Amino acid sequence: MPTQSMSHEAADGTAAGLDAVARLLAGRGVVVLTGAGLSTESGIPDYRGPTGSLRHRLPMTYQEFVAGEEGRRRYWARSHVGWRAIARAEPNAGHRAVEELRRTGRVSAVITQNVDGLHRAAGTLDAVELHGGLERVICLDCRRTSAREDLDRRLVALNHGFRDVATATAVKPDGDVELPDSLVHGFRVAPCEACGGVLKPDVVFFGESVPKPRVQHCYELVDAARALLVLGSSLTVMSGLRFVRHAARAGKPVAIVNQGTTRGDSYAAARVSLPLGAALTALTTVTGT
Ligand SMILES: [Zn+2]
């Protein structure tokens, strides 16, 4: 970690960028926006990162899911296999560093685009899950929410041995995996226990909007903060990028730590391309408590 102060125009180099992020955090009141890049070190690959899979296949859309049983069967069959990897994933050094920064007041709030629940598992209980969380299930008919763990037990009972025959490829950030159609056809979906309605993971699908009150809450967190720090997001989707634009418009400094370029780079006063776990751990040390 560099200790000497750097010139302002050099804030996009690795050392100078880290130094600028450290200064930002030392000033406290920083709202953090995290993305899939923060969870790759927990074994959950990024859609769009260096090993991303978005080019090969798009995730299921909301429209496909609500259109009929076939789409839902495909979703739940694949998710049933992928869920194990999500359920056993553990927070990494990056999540722990974010919690340390929050606990010591340098970070004022955490907004995440991830649905893996790893911020909460690291102790950041009030992290705002912009796109919801995979550990909850919601009924589209009676709106009752329930634990994914309970649904998982029911799906195991309905589809005995399914996971053993399903040879999954790499799991995706939304708990999806690739499965052959022949296997998907035999999968049995579980209805809502309360009303027999359609169950959906409590996450925002592609093609679906983030609930307005949640978006509003995030804008308020950005408004109350002194600066915005983006961690592990390429800001490809507007649901995250709008907060970067909002902060920049309000004249608040924006810093980005992400491996690779992002759609928000032109708004960033500091830009660092480093593995998240090591970079964030270094930042917790250098900015003190
Ligand atoms: Zn229901």
Side-chain angles (χ1 to χ4, degrees):
M1 285 297 296
T3 49
Q4 75 275 36
S5 84
M6 299 284 168
S7 64
H8 292 296
E9 68 270 21
D12 56 350
T14 297
L18 263 187
D19 199 48
V21 176
R23 282 198 302 271
L24 214 59
L25 287 166
R28 307 171 77 86
V30 177
V31 64
V32 162
L33 172 67
T34 74
L38 191 64
S39 290
T40 54
E41 291 172 40
S42 292
I44 303 172
D46 192 346
Y47 280 118
R48 302 176 179 85
T51 58
S53 58
L54 196 62
R55 256 181 255 134
H56 303 300
R57 195 190 55 81
L58 286 163
M60 169 155 294
T61 64
Y62 179 72
Q63 288 71 20
E64 265 180 283
F65 189 87
V66 296
E69 277 177 36
E70 199 186 321
R72 291 194 285 274
R73 180 176 297 116
R74 193 165 68 250
Y75 175 84
W76 283 117
R78 299 161 74 120
S79 178
H80 183 56
V81 175
W83 168 247
R84 268 195 306 197
I86 301 285
R88 70 171 168 238
E90 288 182 4
N92 64 56
H95 298 103
R96 288 193 293 273
V98 168
E99 170 53 16
E100 172 69 8
L101 292 167
R102 188 206 59 81
R103 196 183 58 76
T104 52
R106 287 166 281 178
V107 162
S108 58
V110 177
I111 302 167
T112 185
Q113 301 174 98
N114 299 341
V115 294
D116 53 35
L118 292 180
H119 279 297
R120 208 157 343 94
T124 312
L125 303 181
D126 59 355
V128 180
E129 294 179 308
L130 192 59
H131 297 158
L134 280 175
E135 77 282 1
R136 291 181 308 278
V137 172
I138 185 164
C139 173
L140 291 181
D141 296 282
C142 73
R143 308 307 293 178
R144 172 180 175 265
T145 57
S146 54
R148 173 61 181 266
E149 238 177 72
D150 296 341
L151 175 64
D152 191 60
R153 277 192 285 271
R154 297 173 63 207
L155 290 178
V156 167
L158 283 171
N159 300 278
H160 192 70
F162 186 86
R163 276 174 177 158
D164 305 325
V165 273
T167 46
T169 53
V171 68
K172 305 191 172 55
D174 60 352
D176 190 17
V177 297
E178 297 280 356
L179 285 183
D181 286 346
S182 55
L183 206 54
V184 168
H185 284 316
F187 191 79
R188 293 177 67 194
V189 173
C192 170
E193 281 189 301
C195 78
V198 170
L199 292 180
K200 176 182 172 289
D202 193 11
V203 299
V204 176
F205 277 21
F206 279 73
E208 189 179 10
S209 301
V210 178
K212 282 207 172 69
R214 201 183 295 165
V215 175
Q216 192 51 41
H217 179 49
C218 292
Y219 276 130
E220 286 162 11
L221 292 175
V222 174
D223 286 338
R226 218 178 34 80
L228 173 63
L229 174 59
V230 178
L231 302 175
S233 174
S234 55
L235 298 168
T236 312
V237 290
M238 188 51 69
S239 77
L241 183 63
R242 59 186 156 189
F243 301 117
V244 170
R245 289 181 169 170
H246 186 74
R249 265 199 304 269
K252 298 183 185 201
V254 173
I256 300 175
V257 183
N258 183 61
Q259 286 197 277
T261 59
T262 84
R263 228 175 128 198
D265 285 358
S266 60
Y267 302 98
R271 177 78 188 80
V272 182
S273 187
L274 278 178
L276 275 289
L280 290 171
T281 303
L283 283 166
T284 58
T285 314
V286 78
T287 59
T289 53

